[in-house]
Amino acid sequence: MPRLSVIVPCFKVQGFLRECLDSVLEQSFHDIEVIAVDDRSPDGSGAILDEYAARDPRVRVLHLPENVGLGRARNAALPYATGDFLLFLDSDDTLTPGALRAVADRLAEAGDPDVLVFDYARTYWWGGTRRNALAEVLGATDGVFTAAERPEILDLLMVVWNKAYRRDFVEENGFRFPPGYYEDTPWTFPVMFSAGRIATLDRICVNYRQRRQGSILSTTSRKHFDVHEQYKRVFAFVDAHPELAGWRPCLHRRMGEHCLDILAKPDRLPPAARAEFFRRTAELYRAFRPAGADAGDLGDLDVLTGSYASYRLREQAGRAGRAGGRQALRVRRAAAARVRRALTGLRGRGPLDEDLVLYSAASHQALRGDPAAVYRAAREIAPRLRGVWVVRDAQVAAELPAGVDHVLLDSPEYLRLTARAKFFVNDVNWPGTLVKRPGSVHVHTHRGTPLKYLGADLLGKPGARLGLDVPQMLRRADRWDHSLVANRHSELVWERAYPCHFASARTGSPRNDVLVAGGPTEFRARHGIPADHTVVLYAPTRRDYVRGGHVDRIDLARFAADLGEGHTLVVRLHPALAAGPARGLGLAELHRRGIVVDATGEPHAEEVMLASDVLVTDYSSIMFDYANLDRPIVVHADDWPTFTASRGAYLDITAEAPGHVSRSYRELAWLFASGGWRDEESARLRADFRSRFCEFDDGRAAERVVRTLLLGEAMPEPPGRVPGPAGARDLLAST
């Protein structure tokens, strides 16, 4: 008996079916069966199913004699399912890698609940990906519960395919799908109401394909009227189970919201049928209105107590309001532009404030990186300087430490300060609207030592510069006066990649001062990492050859297990991936289960580095910073040719690595199993790397920036480390 039965109904999906089946059969978890149902599909779907069944004994195919629709096709598979748990996968959707292993592990951890709810991401036909907006609901608890104990679970998309169901629970209750559109509604509500033990999995397991055409829900048809019958079935189920009567108000509201949502979609109902759909919805809404419900409880749904004409008026008013809002936004932007022009006129009229320094980091998102290190040094060395942070919104402002002076981007105060400030310190370009006044000083810190192509060098890499206006970037870089460098390699790269008007400042990287100095960190204690553990920091970079940038190069759970007792695996994804779906593809769940520590959201990378004993990375610039610690580094370069072809690199990091290089997971695991990651050869490679790329990092970089660039004082050049050998191969020469 398999652990999981995956039911896949198929109808006119020959273009997507192979991808769907491959996503199931190539999972790392093999204790499964696939029951695929050919719903009398007129295309080649049936033949594709037979092809897969012929080569994989886990696949069973049912060919229905007539087309019965999605719900009843699922029903046809149920008697043949023998797994402990049932999953339903639509044949144009796919499972994410590792999804079934995560589902099986969570089911075991939760003691075989009646229902397991997991996450999904919408994948759009044009290539975009968006995670479920309510994903935080799934991570709110580790235990099991009922829907009554956590009713917010019903706020999630009420579909059948984002859940696993205990087969005995389904059979005991006789759950089945009715015919018609919206067949998931009379399945999911009764299932969730009846389940005595519900668990959640905070992991994206399904890619929910948003098709440009061909989707049932985007088809204009009177079949959307089926939603009324489906809700009648749910109310009938509740009526047959008196213990569920308390759900009627919730169900009544959800029904009204769902039907009005269908009515609001322009591509669902034929125009001539819209009035009839409204009337039927209103009749149903009145018929199932809970006894004693107050009119004040209706909220926006009170429109269903009136006429269709009233609904249309409100709909038109809503559209007019949205149009008015857009017009108001245009007016505000025009007014802001006038203010900017007025304040720009201040250039040459009033003197610059010689003691005013504006700071920004990570596109106005936080107080961190090199600008933060300069800011802290300036407060200590030159307290007369007023440092003001530019932040993008009130949320970022609220996260700043107490006592930090700040201003919101594009606010009147921001415009006033940018017209008067003497100094600007940033690690990303300032907005194009900022006009550089004569005498002002722009200090650009960058964001580490460059390995990947940047700036003008991206002109020959169309995939890597997708959506990036390189000429505009260079026009903004023309405002730089000083470009901070930590080594001569960086100096050469920045002068090549940004052919602008700045001067290179051999200051070192201010953010690396703490790494040079070393010292304690609270990271281990905060995450419960034993003091005697060897902490392995895995910090991969993003890829330009895939949309979204995220590629799982190694199996994190396997790596953590292979490291063995006495080790803790800490994972820090590229900052650009922190807010996207990448963490939901398994990292967040592994963190919850204590298998790895997810440090992606940690605001200060330096603290994470200080807490680790060894770095495993691929092509992330974090290796250049980490080298200051003089701790082992392993470069995992299993896709180096692909990476360099898509993005470009200034040096061959596999030939001039800061430690051993692995080109497969087997090699990576062997390095740690054998202890080779910290052998004498590793130390020799690291020493050569440090001498070249940590040349100007001496622990006084922030002080050097403040004294020489902000205060104009003299300060000796950094002593530097011994430069790398003159014959070191650098791809700059050949590109």
Side-chain angles (χ1 to χ4, degrees), residues 440-625:
S440 64
V441 177
H442 283 239
V443 178
H444 195 77
T445 70
H446 302 284
R447 303 179 78 178
T449 293
L451 171 61
K452 300 167 282 192
Y453 274 12
L454 295 161
D457 290 324
L458 291 176
L459 290 171
K461 297 291 182 181
R465 62 178 172 85
L466 181 65
L468 183 66
D469 186 339
V470 174
Q472 181 188 64
M473 178 195 301
L474 297 182
R475 286 192 295 272
R476 294 180 179 182
D478 278 331
R479 297 174 297 196
W480 303 352
D481 292 289
H482 303 286
S483 166
L484 307 190
V485 298
N487 48 67
R488 275 170 266 204
H489 162 82
S490 295
E491 185 173 324
L492 180 59
V493 168
W494 298 136
E495 291 177 1
R496 166 200 164 114
Y498 295 96
C500 302
H501 308 297
F502 59 83
S504 294
R506 294 180 174 183
T507 58
S509 293
R511 64 180 181 176
N512 288 342
D513 289 348
V514 297
L515 301 181
V516 175
T521 172
E522 297 180 357
F523 179 85
R524 288 193 181 216
R526 191 163 63 246
H527 290 279
I529 301 174
D532 61 343
H533 269 214
T534 297
V535 174
V536 179
L537 171 59
Y538 175 54
T541 193
R542 67 187 308 278
R543 266 49 175 189
D544 293 287
Y545 59 77
V546 294
R547 186 181 288 272
H550 177 67
V551 178
D552 283 319
R553 303 308 309 173
I554 64 175
D555 183 331
L556 297 177
R558 180 182 177 186
F559 188 31
D562 288 345
L563 288 173
E565 292 293 328
H567 294 76
T568 294
L569 178 60
V570 175
V571 181
R572 183 178 176 85
L573 300 183
H574 189 278
L577 303 175
R583 296 166 78 182
L585 290 168
L587 179 55
E589 175 64 10
L590 293 175
H591 176 83
R592 183 196 66 79
R593 292 168 56 195
I595 295 174
V596 305
V597 173
D598 178 11
T600 306
E602 289 284 335
H604 304 295
E606 298 81 14
E607 187 176 7
V608 183
M609 287 188 273
L610 282 166
S612 67
D613 299 294
V614 54
L615 170 68
V616 177
T617 186
D618 36 37
Y619 326 117
S620 171
S621 64
I622 196 174
M623 71 177 80
F624 298 97
D625 301 327

Side-chain angles (χ1 to χ4, degrees), residues 204-256:
I204 298 172
C205 295
V206 175
N207 285 322
Y208 176 29
R209 189 188 302 272
Q210 307 295 290
R211 294 161 64 177
R212 188 170 185 267
Q213 61 180 10
S215 168
I216 289 176
L217 292 183
S218 63
T219 302
T220 301
S221 169
R222 284 187 60 88
K223 289 185 178 181
H224 292 285
F225 279 79
D226 290 351
V227 71
H228 299 133
E229 291 302 315
Q230 306 296 22
Y231 274 101
K232 287 180 182 179
R233 291 185 172 100
V234 182
F235 276 105
F237 180 86
V238 171
D239 289 342
H241 297 79
E243 70 276 12
L244 301 179
W247 284 110
R248 287 183 67 90
C250 169
L251 185 59
H252 182 250
R253 169 168 285 278
R254 294 294 296 271
M255 177 187 67

Side-chain angles (χ1 to χ4, degrees), residues 100-356:
L100 294 186
R101 168 60 66 187
V103 167
D105 288 348
R106 183 70 181 109
L107 289 171
E109 180 186 46
D112 285 6
D114 296 329
V115 181
L116 174 69
V117 186
F118 44 78
D119 205 5
Y120 66 93
R122 285 181 165 87
T123 57
Y124 295 88
W125 61 268
W126 43 265
T129 300
R130 182 167 61 87
R131 189 180 186 183
N132 162 34
L134 297 177
E136 68 275 4
V137 172
L138 297 171
T141 182
D142 291 342
V144 294
F145 55 90
T146 64
E149 292 168 338
R150 286 192 56 207
E152 65 271 18
I153 196 69
L154 301 181
D155 293 335
L156 297 170
L157 191 63
M158 292 295 282
V159 290
V160 66
W161 44 258
N162 64 349
K163 304 172 183 71
Y165 311 87
R166 188 167 58 83
R167 184 167 59 86
D168 290 345
F169 167 68
V170 171
E171 292 180 351
E172 289 164 5
N173 288 273
F175 295 126
R176 291 296 184 272
F177 294 92
Y181 280 18
Y182 304 100
E183 71 290 330
D184 285 7
T185 297
W187 169 283
T188 50
F189 278 109
V191 163
M192 296 299 285
F193 291 163
S194 304
R197 302 178 72 249
I198 300 171
T200 58
L201 172 62
D202 183 14
R203 188 193 194 280
I204 298 172
C205 295
V206 175
N207 285 322
Y208 176 29
R209 189 188 302 272
Q210 307 295 290
R211 294 161 64 177
R212 188 170 185 267
Q213 61 180 10
S215 168
I216 289 176
L217 292 183
S218 63
T219 302
T220 301
S221 169
R222 284 187 60 88
K223 289 185 178 181
H224 292 285
F225 279 79
D226 290 351
V227 71
H228 299 133
E229 291 302 315
Q230 306 296 22
Y231 274 101
K232 287 180 182 179
R233 291 185 172 100
V234 182
F235 276 105
F237 180 86
V238 171
D239 289 342
H241 297 79
E243 70 276 12
L244 301 179
W247 284 110
R248 287 183 67 90
C250 169
L251 185 59
H252 182 250
R253 169 168 285 278
R254 294 294 296 271
M255 177 187 67
E257 292 171 343
H258 192 174
C259 292
L260 286 178
D261 182 64
I262 294 171
L263 187 59
K265 296 288 193 300
D267 57 353
R268 298 282 178 93
L269 296 161
R274 292 174 58 82
E276 180 185 356
F277 186 89
F278 176 86
R279 287 194 295 271
R280 289 198 188 181
T281 298
E283 291 171 2
L284 202 64
Y285 191 74
R286 289 192 294 269
F288 289 105
R289 182 174 176 178
D294 193 302
D297 297 334
L298 300 180
D300 293 340
L301 296 178
D302 65 349
V303 69
L304 290 171
T305 64
S307 65
Y308 180 63
S310 299
Y311 165 78
R312 288 292 306 278
L313 287 173
R314 181 178 295 190
E315 188 182 45
Q316 291 167 2
R319 285 199 298 267
R322 289 190 292 273
R326 289 191 293 270
Q327 177 62 24
L329 179 60
R330 287 192 289 270
V331 170
R332 288 196 296 272
R333 286 176 175 171
R338 289 194 296 272
V339 172
R340 281 195 293 270
R341 286 194 296 271
L343 288 175
T344 299
L346 290 173
R347 58 184 298 186
R349 293 185 181 178
L352 294 175
D353 185 339
E354 298 288 330
D355 294 332
L356 178 58

